[in-house]
Amino acid sequence: MDTKTLVREDIKLGKKLIQHFDKKGLDIKIAFWYLDEEIDRWYLFISTPDVELEGGRKVYRQILDAMDDINTEIRFDDIKVISYNSSIAQLFRSAISTKKNSIDNIRFQGNAINGFYIKDALIYRVN
């Protein structure tokens, strides 16, 4: 998504996609929209331990299959798969926690975590 504003439709589509991942058995621990302020572009970050267990390529394949199942309008290149142990995943885990397998809409805007400034993010899940 090439816009500075995260629109309501994209928020709903992201939530629908996470729900579908849950139904498909993908172990999504962390999911959030994040504004890359350097290029003013939003990305949907997905974190799962499966990246370490099965590799990022296989997780991307599962995501692509799930996206085909529900025919979502989220572009595949708007999704970034990250390790559960990546620095950004650890950053969010240090500050936020949601109920297991919940899908929330936590807006995290203009805040810093451990000295890292986050211009804008919308968090669905942090477990």
Side-chain angles (χ1 to χ4, degrees), residues 73-126:
E73 294 178 29
I74 295 175
R75 294 185 341 209
F76 186 66
D77 64 343
D78 286 338
I79 298 175
K80 295 199 177 280
V81 172
I82 58 173
S83 163
Y84 187 69
N85 295 313
S86 69
S87 58
I88 194 159
Q90 289 179 8
L91 194 69
F92 278 114
R93 285 196 332 257
S94 73
I96 299 164
S97 179
T98 60
K99 291 181 182 174
K100 185 173 175 71
N101 296 332
S102 69
I103 302 175
D104 299 322
N105 286 340
I106 302 168
R107 198 61 184 247
F108 201 85
Q109 199 170 28
N111 290 301
I113 304 172
N114 297 336
F116 184 83
Y117 179 71
I118 298 169
K119 182 175 183 177
D120 204 356
L122 181 106
I123 301 158
Y124 293 120
R125 174 182 297 165
V126 178

Side-chain angles (χ1 to χ4, degrees), residues 3 14 21 24 27 31 38 43 50 52 55 59 67-68 87 92 100 103-104 107 111 125 127:
T3 178
F21 293 157
K24 296 289 272 186
D27 187 17
E38 289 183 20
Y43 291 100
D50 294 343
E52 284 87 8
V59 173
M67 290 174 72
D68 286 344
S87 58
F92 278 114
K100 185 173 175 71
I103 302 175
D104 299 322
R107 198 61 184 247
N111 290 301
R125 174 182 297 165
N127 297 145

Side-chain angles (χ1 to χ4, degrees), residues 48-62:
T48 172
D50 294 343
V51 172
E52 284 87 8
L53 299 173
E54 302 176 17
R57 185 172 277 188
K58 185 169 183 182
V59 173
Y60 272 115
R61 176 82 264 168
Q62 291 174 307

Side-chain angles (χ1 to χ4, degrees), residues 25-40:
L26 231 61
D27 187 17
I28 305 297
K29 297 288 188 189
I30 302 172
F32 58 91
W33 284 104
Y34 179 81
L35 177 62
D36 182 335
E37 64 181 314
E38 289 183 20
I39 59 173
D40 287 325

